[in-house]
Amino acid sequence: MFAPFGAFAPDQPVLGQTGASVAKNVVPLTDKSYGPFPGLTTVTGALTARCQGFASFRASDGTSHIFAGDATKLYKLNADGVTWDDVSKSGGYTTPADGRWYFAQYGNRVMATNYADAIQSFVIGTDSAFSDLSANAPKARFIDVIRGFVVVADTWDATDGYNQNRVWWSAFGDPTSWPTPGGASAAAVQSDFQDIAFGGGINGLLGGVGGSDGVIFLQNAIVRMTYSGPPAVFTFQDAERGTRGTTIAGSVINAGTFGGYLGEDGFYLFDGISSHPIGNLKVDRWVWDSIDQTQLVRVCAAVNPKKKLIFWAFPTGSSDGNPNRILIYNWETGWWSYADVDVEFIGKGFSAGYTLEGLDAITTDIEALPYSLDSVAYMGGRVNMAGFYTDHKFGFFDGDALAATLETGEFPIEGGRRVFVGGVRPLVDGGTITAAVGYRETPQASVTYSTATSAAADGVCPQRVSARYARARVSVAAAGTWTHAQGVEAEARQEGMR
């Protein structure tokens, strides 16, 4: 009997389900299999406090640069690939515990904003420290570059104070020019702002989603932003109201041509026109039942464009406030999985590249290097999922495979008959594998698991279980080499009614 692992959908009942009831520390690789989830291996020194945002950028000369921020400082990763240089402006910053840094790039200029301080600017190849972008620019929570403008949202300025519904943009082609809106000087360079009078506060800003120049995510609405030229400069059109939007700013992520987010009723992909539910009847309820509702500000997201994967990291009720679970979505197959990993922050990373001297800064013992010498972690400009561990150190999810667990649904035995399971053959193409059988007598009973066994010469993990309901659990040991896990072949037969 072939029992596939199938699509992970913990919101569905296990009985009669053909999908995986557990898909832990794996990634949804294809529409028939899961692959290993690599661990986070840190390769840098530590920030002085918890990471509250980071980003990677390529300069015009092709070099890669990584910036990060904590409560009081901004950092740039040194060319040695290990040391964090403090590139804060004089006096530092006052990022609140529930705040974060957002970054954007305009040419060789990197901009950072935390809402509490003036927008910061650092020109790669020229500057040695951040400085205020402009004395006339507002403070802002969100920042992006759209159609040649620096666009910020949820702003503060000395005239109007805080405005959670304001979208404000710089002069065209000049991130440092922010003339007073409404005047002739502002009109001449197409700088202005727009207040959105519905939808609640702004909780996300993305450029280039679908056919839209920009997208604004509010609490209860999603608005398209389209360049129209003077005098309006940008037009704003509500795409969705009332039932869509998000209150969780960290969940908003640009993935391919989509904008992903976690709304009040689950996960969605916005294609520039409308939102499409991706977690409904699959993972939405499971996530909301496990997420720490008091620490939603710690939710963060990343994307691996090569594998078409979105990662949402969130703290569960058993965490210390930092994210300790990563939910994984394959936007091509629609499959989900998860990994239990402690992090401070995740994101897309460009590796900075290492010289042999730079590797000496990690360790002088070649056998003690965290990655093999051909790892993408040592190659400059390579894209990979990255993050900060809870010790404030940065690294890439490019380490050894984590210990994986996959479970099938319960075997389809009809007519209320019992099933005898004499063994299961895991269909996993490598690694050190054991298997157990989960069983129960009634749908109301909790599941008991047999002792896990290793495979014999024929690939079967022997078992002797007789029950009315049974499923297979397959475990793959950490640090193994494998690619696909598809399911099990169960040596199972029907027994009598008793």
Side-chain angles (χ1 to χ4, degrees):
M1 174 193 299
F2 172 61
F5 291 130
F8 175 59
D11 289 355
Q12 294 287 330
V14 174
L15 186 61
Q17 184 185 165
T18 59
S21 53
V22 175
K24 177 182 175 181
N25 293 343
V26 294
V27 298
L29 199 60
T30 73
D31 61 355
K32 294 182 175 62
S33 64
Y34 294 89
F37 185 89
L40 172 63
T41 304
T42 57
V43 293
T44 74
L47 309 184
T48 57
R50 175 175 64 90
C51 176
Q52 292 181 245
F54 78 90
S56 299
F57 302 104
R58 285 196 182 98
S60 58
D61 62 2
T63 56
S64 299
H65 304 267
I66 302 174
F67 294 83
D70 61 21
T72 60
K73 297 177 183 178
L74 283 169
Y75 305 82
K76 184 178 184 296
L77 189 62
N78 189 277
D80 66 10
V82 176
T83 306
W84 288 104
D85 296 328
D86 182 351
V87 291
S88 306
K89 75 172 183 179
S90 178
Y93 310 102
T94 55
T95 312
D98 61 353
R100 61 169 282 182
W101 287 97
Y102 286 89
F103 296 86
Q105 180 183 15
Y106 195 110
N108 279 346
R109 186 185 303 275
V110 173
M111 294 160 290
T113 185
N114 67 351
Y115 207 8
D117 299 286
I119 301 172
Q120 295 296 285
S121 170
F122 185 102
V123 179
I124 296 171
T126 300
D127 292 339
S128 58
F130 276 94
S131 59
D132 293 353
L133 176 66
S134 169
N136 299 320
K139 294 179 181 179
R141 188 178 180 197
F142 305 105
I143 188 168
D144 210 330
V145 175
I146 298 174
R147 289 294 294 265
F149 299 86
V150 174
V151 180
V152 297
D154 190 353
T155 65
W156 180 93
D157 68 280
T159 300
D160 294 335
Y162 290 103
N163 193 323
Q164 295 182 334
N165 296 81
R166 180 163 291 177
V167 180
W168 197 330
W169 56 94
S170 70
F172 177 74
D174 187 355
T176 66
S177 177
W178 297 79
T180 302
S185 297
V189 294
Q190 302 185 66
S191 179
D192 206 346
F193 66 69
Q194 175 70 44
D195 294 338
I196 300 174
F198 58 88
I202 295 173
N203 281 303
L205 171 68
L206 295 178
V209 175
S212 302
D213 294 325
V215 175
I216 301 116
F217 293 85
L218 298 100
Q219 291 176 338
N220 301 299
I222 300 176
V223 173
R224 290 193 295 270
M225 181 177 179
T226 306
Y227 178 71
S228 57
V233 187
F234 285 100
T235 58
F236 295 81
Q237 180 184 12
D238 54 307
E240 296 182 290
R241 288 204 206 187
T243 59
R244 298 292 178 263
T246 183
T247 59
I248 306 174
S251 73
V252 177
I253 183 74
N254 204 322
T257 60
F258 302 99
Y261 67 94
L262 173 58
E264 288 297 316
D265 58 348
F267 289 91
Y268 290 87
L269 288 184
F270 180 74
D271 63 5
I273 303 297
S274 60
S275 295
H276 304 276
I278 57 175
N280 186 41
L281 302 180
K282 297 177 181 178
V283 300
D284 287 344
R285 189 181 67 228
W286 181 75
V287 169
W288 279 120
D289 286 347
S290 60
I291 198 169
D292 185 347
Q293 303 283 340
T294 68
Q295 296 292 342
L296 295 178
V297 294
R298 299 285 184 93
V299 173
C300 50
V303 62
N304 185 327
K306 293 182 294 185
K307 294 185 177 180
K308 309 298 189 298
L309 298 174
I310 305 175
F311 306 85
W312 280 283
F314 61 92
T316 68
S318 61
S319 78
D320 61 358
N322 281 318
N324 63 339
R325 176 164 291 170
I326 299 177
L327 187 68
I328 308 160
Y329 177 70
N330 185 314
W331 72 73
E332 281 197 329
T333 67
W335 280 28
W336 296 86
S337 65
Y338 71 100
D340 282 345
V341 181
D342 293 318
V343 295
E344 287 181 343
F345 209 91
I346 62 170
K348 183 176 69 175
F350 292 141
S351 55
Y354 290 80
T355 63
L356 290 177
E357 292 76 15
L359 292 176
D360 285 343
I362 302 175
T363 178
T364 56
D365 181 1
I366 193 171
E367 298 297 330
L369 287 170
Y371 305 110
S372 64
L373 284 173
D374 59 355
S375 168
V376 298
Y378 304 133
M379 303 175 191
R382 298 296 297 273
V383 179
N384 199 11
M385 183 184 168
F388 278 82
Y389 187 57
T390 54
D391 59 3
H392 319 321
K393 294 180 180 180
F394 174 84
F396 292 91
F397 286 85
D398 194 34
D400 290 335
L402 300 183
T405 303
L406 289 153
E407 287 190 15
T408 68
E410 291 184 332
F411 302 148
I413 303 300
E414 298 180 358
R417 294 179 178 275
R418 300 178 64 80
V419 59
F420 177 80
V421 183
V424 293
R425 178 183 287 111
L427 301 180
V428 184
D429 59 6
T432 301
I433 303 166
T434 58
V437 174
Y439 58 94
R440 55 183 176 164
E441 289 299 318
T442 69
Q444 299 79 32
S446 58
V447 178
T448 300
Y449 288 90
S450 66
T451 301
T453 59
S454 301
D458 60 357
V460 175
C461 299
Q463 294 287 325
R464 290 187 63 83
V465 172
S466 176
R468 200 169 301 279
Y469 304 101
R471 68 185 77 171
R473 170 186 282 179
V474 174
S475 300
V476 187
T481 300
W482 58 284
T483 303
H484 294 277
Q486 295 177 262
V488 302
E489 291 177 346
E491 293 188 348
R493 66 174 186 270
Q494 287 189 160
E495 293 188 309
M497 297 297 292
R498 296 184 183 180

